[in-house]
Amino acid sequence: MSEQVLKISDFNVDFWVDGVWYPAVIDMNLELNAGKVTAIVGESGSGKSTTALGLMSLLASNARMSGSVQVKQEEMLNANASTLRKFRGREVAYIFQEPMTALNPVYTIGFQIVETLRNHFDMGPTQAHARALELITLVDIPEPEKSINKYPHQLSGGQRQRAMIAQALACDPGLLVADEPTTALDVTVQAEILDLMRGLKDKLNSAILLITHDMGVVADMADEILVMKDGITVEHGTADQIFNNPQHPYTQQLLGAVPKLGSSKKRALPYSESARPAPVLKLTDVTIEYPKRGRIPAFTAVKNFNLEIYPGEIVGLVGESGSGKTTVGRAAIGLLPIKEGTIEIVGKDISHATQKDLSSIRRHTGIVFQDPASSLNPRLPIGESIGEPIYLAGLAKGDALAHMVEDLLDQVELPRSYRNRYPHELSGGQRQRVGIARALALTPDLLIADEPTSALDVSVQARFLDLLQELQEKLKFACLFISHDLAVVDILSHRIAVMQNGLLVEEGDRDSILQKPKNDYTRRLISAVPVPDPAEQRIRREARLAAKK
Amino acid sequence: MAKKNTSAVETTTQDGGENAIFNKETEGLSQGQIVLRRFVRHRGAMTSLFIIVGLILFVFSALDQKIGPFKIPGWWHYGTEDLPELRSEGCKEGLVGCPTFSLRPKFLGGAGFGLGEHPFGQDDIGRDYFALVMRGAQRSIMVMFVIGIIGGTLGTIIGAISGFYRGWIDAVLMRFTDFIITIPAIIIGSVVGYHFGNLGVGFLAFYLGLFAWTGLSRLVRGEFLTLREREFVDAARVAGASNRRIIFKHILPNAVGVIIVSVTLLMSGAILLETALSYLGFGVVAPDVSLGLLISQYQDSFTTRPWLFWYPGLFIITIALSINFIGDGLRDAFDPRQRRRITKKDRESAKTVKKAGA
């Protein structure tokens, strides 16, 4: 049972940049036995993925490794290419974050599994096909007979990740390296994939090296945990030790930054139920359709959607990917045309507004986009990006504009000197603050935040949410906060709306939604959110499995 | 809980994380400066840039230039209209007008190091071939720039409009582009050359430019199609920017890499197009001179008087090659994924940095 699968000792990785070696992993030690799960936790840049790729010498040519990595008592570091090839896939299999890019889009998933099998074993095509079918059945892809001949794009995200797992398991590897296996997935799908991985591990007695930034996932899976920061292992212990008695301040900080569902204090609505002010945003029976293009038929993304947002409140809009929440956000600000219904912003109907009408509305609205890397023009200094709405609204020019930009930078707690910097010089968290500064440039009545934290690390996210809350309390704007993360919505919002498949399934104030959800889907969503507490996770998992049976 | 998180400090200088390592070389620079630095590091491109700039100065200062009423005298003692006597001393038996340019020193039996009277020789009627080649090179370089500018501008605008607006505008413009592409360049050139060749080389270049934009417009359109979906375009729209501002201020600067690279390659193609047309007799016509025309006029003399072939050819190759190298260097400089290959020596000489926290 406790055969040692992986032993890493004094493992170092450096990257060559411009004549200097920069360390990415420093003196790492790790032992992993069969049937166990060790998690490496850390924020982006901590060197966790580098470790995973370094195990099998998969790093780019500007990397240098030293120390020792042993898989089943055989040294992998500086091993020759044929040894490595024998071990890759056969003994050590990888599951990557993004199954769409890790699977080859021009081959069926069956073909790709068969290929792996026949590379490593002396196997005939029919035999390999039978085994592939067996594997696909094993990972619970529906209709295995049909699915084996499907291309990756014909499968849903969760199914694709299952296909990846099937491929990884093809040769019964002793060690499974899972690099952020569920980060790209919705919470409910994530829970299923984690259950699947857990079940397979017990069945096949493989060891899993789990790499993730999500403390909830770690709590669900890990026996042992390694916390990394800037390449250094800051803490190493059993899951119990790390979660219940963290020693290192960084571990404590990391755990503290994880938003926990239902732990934030009650937030009173900024208005009284009886005397509601006029809504800032009012959507009535809104239907949004993506028109048909060529042979692709028209797709109704949002149907009969009703929502009102009053001044000074934050409304959280949650749902899984594809539920239409981003579509609602974009339509609400006039970026998408609507098919039916009406949208009113500050009392003005924009459902059929022309470009000209919209420009007057835009003084009252701001939007923070999801991806900070893409939402700032890489060729403009950030001062110009922030100042653009003011300049275009004709409010200020020249020195006056520069002043206003500096004030905005102060507000989002960025140094004024950043005015002349370019987006690529800033980190993700800083870029997102620039995004807020731009959205708030015209002191809007309505701010739409479209998953602003989904690309950020937990500690950066915590800081960002604090900032947003402070600004909201100070400036009293109304906010539609779109997110897939219930815990984040819980921290911020006064009211919550839940969407599924383009329909509004439930809406109400925060506590009633989170504590007494009426809708089945809401309940499922809440129970699938991983909690950074191993004991709690076990209880939830068992409840989930019981519910399934 | 939210308040407590303030302890989870995200220090503004440290949270760069992984990017900090890879962006190290780019800190404090705008994208333009980064591109410039990468370009300067490209040895082939920099050499070519010096060659082409030197060549342009050399070629244009050689002969008398007339700009309006002003006349700038050139440093070469012959013009293209002078008719000095055909000289035959120092030439092989039966030849006249051979080049006097010599690199072989006297003690090795040569004429000594020097240009002599007619370094590139003389043509049939005694005109100085150096002056003719200089004039021809001037014409070719001019054609190159005019086609580059006109083709580049047209291609960028048409590509930008069809990529940005899509829909029927795109369909119309792209079908028009297809139509232009289907007409062979030789036919366009010959028709244009036939009608406008005698109006001077400027007209010829202008009309050729009107047909040279197709490839570029397709590239720019593709670039616009991807860039317009980026979120910063939506952000600009929300900020209230007009379509024109979005195209020129937000998207175009991001597509400039593609444009510069393909315009340089368009230019090197242009010089060859002009040469080919002149060679066929459709381009620049006598009494004006161009490199292609010179080659075509003296193609019979290749076996007997090869210098009438060498020197125009040498200039064509030098110009086209330099421009190509510059284009290549620009493409490398604009490609963010391009990194210098790391040699073994680099690996050994590199220093190790321990991070502050280590």
Side-chain angles (χ1 to χ4, degrees):
Chain A
M1 174 71 195
S2 61
E3 183 204 358
Q4 191 183 71
V5 179
L6 175 71
K7 184 174 187 220
I8 303 176
S9 34
D10 297 329
F11 185 56
N12 279 286
V13 180
D14 303 275
F15 282 105
W16 185 97
V17 178
D18 246 13
V20 183
W21 289 107
Y22 286 88
V25 178
I26 298 163
D27 295 332
M28 172 176 241
N29 289 293
L30 175 73
E31 281 177 35
L32 183 53
N33 292 340
K36 293 282 174 200
V37 180
T38 294
I40 303 180
V41 197
E43 305 199 312
S44 52
S46 61
K48 49 192 197 312
S49 286
T50 308
T51 311
L53 293 173
L55 295 184
M56 282 287 106
S57 307
L58 291 168
L59 289 169
S61 63
N62 66 336
R64 169 178 85 171
M65 293 178 288
S66 64
S68 148
V69 175
Q70 287 182 354
V71 176
K72 300 222 165 152
Q73 268 80 42
E74 201 154 334
E75 182 61 40
M76 284 296 111
L77 226 56
N78 305 318
N80 60 22
S82 71
T83 320
L84 280 173
R85 206 155 46 233
K86 211 175 79 199
F87 271 77
R88 286 176 191 161
R90 178 81 190 261
E91 292 297 340
V92 184
Y94 281 83
I95 303 172
F96 292 103
Q97 176 173 353
E98 188 46 77
M100 193 64 218
T101 51
L103 289 169
N104 191 335
V106 299
Y107 293 118
T108 62
I109 56 166
F111 179 90
Q112 297 185 48
I113 297 173
V114 167
E115 188 193 22
T116 316
L117 283 167
R118 297 192 66 194
N119 267 339
H120 288 286
F121 300 110
D122 191 11
M123 221 182 227
T126 28
Q127 211 184 342
H129 185 87
R131 172 87 178 120
L133 199 62
E134 199 181 306
L135 284 163
I136 289 176
T137 321
L138 187 71
V139 295
D140 297 330
I141 295 180
E143 300 181 88
E145 297 279 351
K146 254 192 196 163
S147 299
I148 194 166
N149 290 322
K150 279 188 179 167
Y151 290 91
H153 71 265
Q154 293 173 305
L155 301 171
S156 71
Q159 286 174 1
R160 257 180 245 145
Q161 197 59 288
R162 283 166 195 267
M164 274 275 290
I165 294 176
Q167 193 185 8
L169 291 176
C171 307
D172 292 332
L175 172 65
L176 201 59
V177 180
D179 190 352
E180 306 262 8
T182 56
T183 307
L185 305 175
D186 285 323
V187 272
T188 50
V189 185
Q190 163 171 305
E192 285 168 24
I193 294 283
L194 292 179
D195 285 345
L196 173 72
M197 279 173 62
R198 169 181 296 280
L200 290 172
K201 175 203 74 173
D202 294 340
K203 215 185 278 177
L204 306 172
N205 197 26
S206 0
I208 297 182
L209 185 65
L210 178 71
I211 285 147
T212 182
H213 68 277
D214 189 333
M215 283 310 220
V217 172
V218 177
D220 201 355
M221 294 285 292
D223 299 306
E224 271 190 45
I225 297 172
L226 223 81
V227 183
M228 284 184 83
K229 182 182 195 268
D230 297 336
I232 305 160
T233 311
V234 294
E235 197 163 357
H236 185 178
T238 63
D240 238 18
Q241 281 169 356
I242 299 277
F243 278 105
N244 299 326
N245 189 16
Q247 297 298 315
H248 195 276
Y250 179 71
T251 316
Q252 294 164 358
Q253 199 188 88
L254 207 59
L255 283 169
V258 179
K260 293 181 195 69
L261 203 56
S263 60
S264 53
K265 59 181 191 295
K266 191 167 167 56
R267 302 187 71 194
L269 288 175
Y271 50 83
S272 63
E273 240 3 279
S274 50
R276 285 185 169 178
V280 177
L281 175 71
K282 187 176 179 192
L283 294 103
T284 331
D285 282 328
V286 170
T287 298
I288 303 165
E289 199 179 80
Y290 287 104
K292 78 172 171 116
R293 278 216 311 236
R295 278 194 204 160
I296 307 158
F299 170 69
T300 309
V302 176
K303 218 172 169 185
N304 299 333
F305 191 86
N306 289 296
L307 187 68
E308 287 176 7
I309 298 179
Y310 298 97
E313 70 169 348
I314 300 182
V315 176
L317 183 60
V318 275
E320 304 196 316
S321 51
S323 61
K325 50 191 195 309
T326 296
T327 309
V328 169
R330 292 185 162 235
I333 202 164
L335 280 175
L336 280 177
I338 58 172
K339 193 167 170 250
E340 283 163 31
T342 54
I343 296 179
E344 278 175 39
I345 294 178
V346 226
K348 268 188 202 152
D349 187 358
I350 64 157
S351 358
H352 303 286
T354 59
Q355 284 286 339
K356 227 178 208 168
D357 303 336
L358 281 177
S359 67
S360 67
I361 300 290
R362 283 187 173 144
R363 290 204 187 187
H364 302 286
T365 54
I367 182 165
V368 183
F369 291 95
Q370 176 172 5
D371 182 4
S374 148
S375 63
L376 294 171
N377 189 340
R379 300 263 166 185
L380 286 186
I382 63 167
E384 239 179 275
S385 284
I386 296 175
E388 186 167 37
I390 307 176
Y391 172 79
L392 288 172
L395 292 181
K397 259 186 200 164
D399 281 348
L401 181 62
H403 265 297
M404 290 176 84
V405 169
E406 279 172 4
D407 286 346
L408 284 164
L409 281 171
D410 286 347
Q411 264 186 7
V412 296
E413 295 165 24
L414 283 175
R416 288 179 173 194
S417 60
Y418 274 35
R419 198 156 57 88
N420 296 322
R421 298 258 188 134
Y422 286 84
H424 66 105
E425 298 171 54
L426 272 58
S427 70
Q430 291 171 335
R431 279 184 216 159
Q432 206 53 299
R433 289 196 215 175
V434 173
I436 293 202
R438 174 174 60 189
L440 295 180
L442 293 173
T443 50
D445 302 311
L446 173 68
L447 180 76
I448 289 171
D450 185 3
E451 305 242 19
T453 61
S454 65
L456 305 179
D457 279 327
V458 271
S459 65
V460 182
Q461 165 177 300
R463 192 70 208 84
F464 180 87
L465 294 177
D466 273 356
L467 177 74
L468 188 64
Q469 228 167 351
E470 275 164 32
L471 286 172
Q472 200 269 338
E473 267 156 34
K474 202 162 75 190
L475 302 171
K476 302 280 179 221
F477 50 81
C479 177
L480 178 65
F481 191 92
I482 298 164
S483 178
H484 66 278
D485 192 341
L486 266 173
V488 170
V489 170
D490 173 32
I491 293 176
L492 279 178
S493 44
H494 300 98
R495 286 194 299 140
I496 295 177
V498 185
M499 274 187 94
Q500 185 195 17
N501 297 334
L503 294 169
L504 183 70
V505 295
E506 197 165 358
E507 191 244 309
D509 65 88
R510 188 193 67 186
D511 294 332
S512 67
I513 293 277
L514 291 181
Q515 274 143 33
K516 295 181 278 300
K518 290 189 198 79
N519 189 284
D520 236 16
Y521 178 72
T522 317
R523 226 169 287 145
R524 205 141 47 87
L525 212 55
I526 293 172
S527 75
V529 177
V531 194
D533 178 358
E536 170 74 26
Q537 273 293 12
R538 203 169 308 130
I539 298 166
R540 285 164 145 242
R541 189 166 59 239
E542 275 150 19
R544 204 158 58 218
L545 287 179
K548 225 184 229 173
K549 282 167 195 163
Chain B
M1 129 113 200
K3 287 281 172 253
K4 199 177 70 196
N5 282 339
T6 333
S7 61
V9 208
E10 176 216 359
T11 40
T12 43
T13 46
Q14 269 177 1
D15 65 354
E18 64 194 328
N19 290 339
I21 296 181
F22 295 107
N23 282 348
K24 197 205 66 127
E25 61 177 325
T26 63
E27 217 133 40
L29 294 174
S30 75
Q31 292 220 322
Q33 286 166 307
I34 297 167
V35 168
L36 185 68
R37 260 179 38 168
R38 286 217 206 101
F39 181 75
V40 170
R41 233 187 264 157
H42 195 291
R43 239 173 257 148
M46 278 314 276
T47 319
S48 301
L49 187 68
F50 281 116
I51 289 177
I52 203 88
V53 170
L55 203 70
I56 290 172
L57 292 176
F58 179 82
V59 162
F60 277 85
S61 61
L63 305 177
D64 298 349
Q65 293 288 340
K66 260 191 233 158
I67 302 170
F70 303 103
K71 196 174 167 191
I72 307 164
W75 50 263
W76 188 241
H77 45 263
Y78 287 114
T80 46
E81 273 114 53
D82 300 333
L83 280 170
E85 230 165 85
L86 271 168
R87 50 180 284 288
S88 57
E89 69 260 35
C91 298
K92 278 186 199 151
E93 194 70 24
L95 288 180
V96 285
C98 59
T100 56
F101 178 51
S102 164
L103 284 172
R104 196 189 281 181
K106 277 201 177 104
F107 60 85
L108 284 173
F113 186 82
L115 288 173
E117 185 69 12
H118 301 289
F120 289 2
Q122 290 167 286
D123 74 351
D124 292 340
I125 50 172
R127 287 188 295 178
D128 180 47
Y129 209 55
F130 181 81
L132 289 177
V133 170
M134 289 301 113
R135 175 72 74 212
Q138 285 175 10
R139 293 289 178 252
S140 295
I141 289 171
M142 206 173 101
V143 167
M144 177 178 93
F145 278 108
V146 171
I147 291 183
I149 290 166
I150 290 180
T153 318
L154 273 179
T156 305
I157 291 174
I158 291 174
I161 289 174
S162 71
F164 182 80
Y165 288 102
R166 298 190 303 187
W168 67 268
I169 297 181
D170 179 35
V172 168
L173 284 175
M174 281 301 116
R175 294 303 77 75
F176 178 60
T177 311
D178 289 343
F179 171 68
I180 301 279
I181 287 175
T182 53
I183 307 173
I186 286 295
I187 294 184
I188 297 170
S190 52
V191 171
V192 168
Y194 181 77
H195 285 286
F196 307 105
N198 51 356
L199 289 178
V201 69
F203 273 93
L204 177 77
F206 176 78
Y207 284 103
L208 285 178
L210 291 185
F211 293 93
W213 49 269
T214 47
L216 179 68
S217 78
R218 285 215 166 151
L219 282 176
V220 173
R221 169 178 176 265
E223 198 69 10
F224 264 65
L225 282 177
T226 50
L227 284 171
R228 78 190 295 284
E229 301 299 330
R230 296 272 294 271
E231 281 181 338
F232 68 80
V233 173
D234 283 333
R237 192 164 288 143
V238 172
S242 61
N243 283 339
R244 223 179 67 181
R245 188 177 163 90
I246 290 175
I247 292 177
F248 289 105
K249 177 107 187 170
H250 290 278
I251 303 185
L252 203 55
N254 284 290
V256 85
V258 172
I259 295 171
I260 290 185
V261 170
S262 55
V263 165
T264 43
L265 298 179
L266 173 73
M267 280 160 70
S268 76
I271 200 164
L272 296 180
L273 177 67
E274 184 274 332
T275 312
L277 287 176
S278 300
Y279 180 84
L280 293 173
F282 296 127
V284 177
V285 281
D288 209 345
V289 189
S290 89
L291 295 178
L293 190 64
L294 285 177
I295 289 180
S296 127
Q297 276 172 349
Y298 300 111
Q299 54 181 327
D300 326 327
S301 34
F302 182 61
T303 43
T304 48
R305 293 180 292 165
W307 60 85
L308 294 177
F309 230 72
W310 288 344
Y311 292 107
L314 183 73
F315 272 78
I316 292 171
I317 291 172
T318 315
I319 297 170
L321 210 58
S322 305
I323 294 280
N324 260 318
F325 263 119
I326 293 171
D328 212 39
L330 283 170
R331 184 176 46 218
D332 287 357
F334 275 108
D335 185 356
R337 278 161 303 188
Q338 193 103 23
R339 284 182 196 282
R340 204 148 60 94
R341 270 192 59 213
I342 304 158
T343 60
K344 214 171 173 187
K345 209 176 106 201
D346 286 335
R347 282 181 163 264
E348 278 156 13
S349 64
K351 296 173 296 231
T352 308
V353 165
K354 283 277 173 208
K355 271 197 184 171

